[in-house]
Amino acid sequence: MTARTGDVLVLFGVTGDLAKKMILPALYRLVARGVLTVPVVGVALTDWDDERLRAHIADCVHAVESEVDADALARLQKSVTLVAGDYADPDTFTRLATAIGPAAFAVHYLAVPPALFGTVADGLAAVGLADRSRLVVEKPFGRDLASARALQARLDAHFPEDRIFRVDHFLGKEPVEDLLVLRFANTLLEPLWSREWVDRVEITMAEDFDVADRGSFYDAVGTVRDVVQNHLLQVMAYLLMDAPLSDAADDQRDAKSRLLKATRALDPAEVVRGRYDGYLDTAGVAPDSTTETFVAVVLHVDDWRWAGVPVQLRAGKCLPETSLEIVVVLKPPPRTLFGASTPNRITLRLQPDAGVTVTLLAKRPGQDDVPVEFPLGADFRQVLGPVHAPYERIFADALAGDPAHFARMDTIEEAWRIVEPILDPGTAPEPYARGTWGPPPPWSTS
């Protein structure tokens, strides 16, 4: 059945930080490309009026765009109206229903704290809006498996599963989507993608900055909840899953689900948690905090394709660089010739500059047969052109009703199951100096 396209976009949290930095600039770009043509209703607890919100939109766009299309900005501003009110106040939703109209199908985007997801869903249902709308919720979806299931039960009371879209903005990143095309559209790569040829897989998400003014938020979350349970397990699923039956959304999500179901829950003995020096001095961080800012883990996928191939994953803040990179290390040849010892590697860079590099060996010029490494690679931006920002894809798909790049509940449950053994361990993480790669990972001594 074809999903209904949204007639109106409702943005809860329109005055918030996420909307300011990511969402409103993305909506401007969609308007400029002719993708966003429906009215936008902003909802927030504020004393602003329509004109103040429209001025805010202009400020947000100019803050991130070097060149602004004045006509596109004006069209976005003209399309926006504001419903100001408390989400716990039934009158807010009565006025929202009036703003939407009696027949329009609305896409409700919840850029609000997860504690308010249920409150908003209840409010929409109370005025009859849940029956003709789609609900789009930001991460995190729960704090653990039990809370994720409890939240799902509350949303299920008003929305069927096919009208609940769970955002993981990594699924809107074009380089992440490229993983599927690279794997399944290239005969050169797909035969190598198994335990027969792969020795190990390395996934690194590094950030060279600290938590800054987000101490209170981060101290309640930590690296495992912030990026591992969601972003990085979704990336791993794309990287390792079997080919879907088709490119249809549910076939792709079925393949991801099977991969995560085959992944063992983490063994605390194969986990290292770290905390950068000075974290406890950050405003909002509890003096006795045990929150990690770095984690390195070994994951195991017990299926026919990947059994015995370790996935070495690490993520953290205050590391030497900001990047997201995957390295697939191939097994060495069956016999060592020419003194070669360095294995071939396939490196997939997802950010900041997406691209692929295959590291091979060739003879060094000279009389002796001495192998040296040389790279074959491409920068996707140079070869393919600029990419769209993740939130542009997220909003375009949410309005169109395409669920392919949103997380399905079964994959969220499996992701929480995988990380559950290392949530809230109650012990202090190992210290590490800013600008280093964190404490020694668990595979460094294996």
Side-chain angles (χ1 to χ4, degrees):
M1 184 175 70
T2 302
R4 181 169 176 180
T5 301
D7 301 314
V8 57
L9 173 64
V10 181
L11 178 54
F12 287 85
V14 69
T15 60
D17 195 56
L18 179 61
K20 174 183 177 180
K21 294 179 179 178
M22 298 290 183
I23 294 176
L24 293 174
L27 297 185
Y28 156 77
R29 297 185 197 106
L30 291 176
V31 169
R33 299 207 317 267
V35 176
L36 178 62
T37 58
V38 301
V40 178
V41 179
V43 186
L45 178 58
T46 180
D47 58 0
W48 293 5
D49 58 15
D50 288 352
E51 292 308 311
R52 178 66 186 88
L53 177 57
R54 291 166 182 164
H56 175 69
I57 292 171
D59 292 340
C60 295
V61 171
H62 281 285
V64 299
E65 297 289 334
S66 57
E67 296 183 8
V68 174
D69 181 332
D71 180 62
L73 177 58
R75 293 201 306 273
L76 174 60
Q77 290 173 301
K78 185 178 179 180
S79 72
V80 173
T81 56
L82 176 67
V83 174
D86 192 321
Y87 303 147
D89 183 355
D91 182 60
T92 301
F93 293 90
T94 300
R95 288 183 286 113
L96 175 61
T98 300
I100 290 173
F105 184 85
V107 175
H108 299 283
Y109 196 102
L110 275 57
V112 298
L116 294 174
F117 292 171
T119 301
V120 173
D122 293 345
L124 294 172
V127 295
L129 289 175
D131 296 331
R132 51 183 175 95
S133 63
R134 183 175 299 125
L135 194 69
V136 187
V137 298
E138 275 283 347
K139 80 166 186 76
F141 199 89
R143 282 186 51 81
D144 52 24
L145 181 57
S147 61
R149 286 173 170 168
L151 174 57
Q152 177 66 16
R154 188 167 181 186
L155 300 185
D156 272 343
H158 309 304
F159 291 87
E161 173 63 21
D162 64 353
R163 288 197 280 115
I164 301 174
F165 283 25
R166 302 169 193 84
V167 174
D168 184 329
H169 75 268
F170 266 47
L171 298 180
K173 288 179 177 284
E174 292 199 36
V176 174
E177 298 169 34
D178 276 339
L179 290 174
L180 297 185
V181 178
L182 284 169
R183 287 193 53 205
F184 300 122
N186 292 293
T187 310
L188 179 67
L189 291 181
E190 177 54 23
L192 300 177
W193 231 251
S194 76
R195 61 187 179 85
E196 300 297 330
W197 301 105
V198 175
D199 179 75
R200 66 185 183 274
V201 176
E202 304 169 357
I203 302 175
T204 299
M205 180 180 174
E207 295 173 325
D208 64 3
F209 48 88
D210 59 21
V211 302
D213 60 354
R214 300 169 71 236
S216 296
F217 162 79
Y218 200 87
D219 205 42
V221 178
T223 303
V224 174
R225 286 186 171 94
D226 191 38
V227 299
V228 175
Q229 180 272 338
N230 38 70
H231 301 331
L232 296 184
L233 287 182
Q234 292 284 346
V235 168
M236 186 189 80
Y238 270 156
L239 181 70
L240 303 182
M241 73 188 201
D242 285 333
L245 295 177
S246 74
D247 58 3
D250 273 332
D251 284 342
Q252 290 187 27
R253 302 202 293 180
D254 287 346
K256 283 199 301 180
S257 179
R258 286 193 296 270
L259 188 284
L260 292 177
K261 285 178 181 177
T263 303
R264 291 182 214 166
L266 284 167
D267 181 352
E270 294 185 298
V271 175
V272 169
R273 300 166 62 249
R275 181 172 66 202
Y276 65 77
D277 293 340
Y279 173 77
L280 292 179
D281 300 325
T282 305
V285 171
D288 59 349
S289 171
T290 58
T291 298
E292 77 282 345
T293 63
F294 170 93
V295 67
V297 306
V298 181
L299 290 149
H300 302 275
V301 180
D302 294 324
D303 67 4
W304 196 261
R305 181 188 287 262
W306 295 111
V309 178
V311 180
Q312 300 171 348
L313 183 153
R314 63 179 171 177
K317 293 185 175 295
C318 286
L319 302 184
E321 61 186 40
T322 295
S323 63
L324 176 58
E325 183 176 272
I326 297 165
V327 181
V328 178
V329 181
L330 301 183
K331 290 182 176 180
R335 290 186 59 209
T336 299
L337 299 174
F338 316 114
S341 60
T342 305
N344 296 149
R345 302 184 305 279
I346 302 171
T347 302
L348 304 167
R349 300 183 310 278
L350 304 186
Q351 65 183 35
D353 299 313
V356 60
T357 301
V358 180
T359 305
L360 302 175
L361 296 174
K363 178 185 175 299
R364 187 176 67 190
Q367 184 174 355
D368 297 327
D369 292 335
V370 178
V372 293
E373 289 187 344
F374 74 97
L376 290 175
D379 182 305
F380 288 166
R381 186 181 296 271
Q382 292 181 1
V383 175
L384 304 174
V387 300
H388 296 155
Y391 276 95
E392 295 174 50
R393 182 62 179 267
I394 288 168
F395 275 92
D397 286 355
L399 284 165
D402 183 352
H405 302 109
F406 296 87
R408 202 168 64 185
M409 186 59 191
D410 57 345
T411 62
I412 287 179
E413 288 183 319
E414 292 300 328
W416 280 123
R417 175 191 60 80
I418 292 166
V419 302
E420 191 99 45
I422 65 169
L423 295 176
D424 308 315
T427 56
E430 297 181 33
Y432 64 94
R434 292 169 177 258
T436 68
W437 282 105
W443 54 84
S444 64
T445 56
S446 62

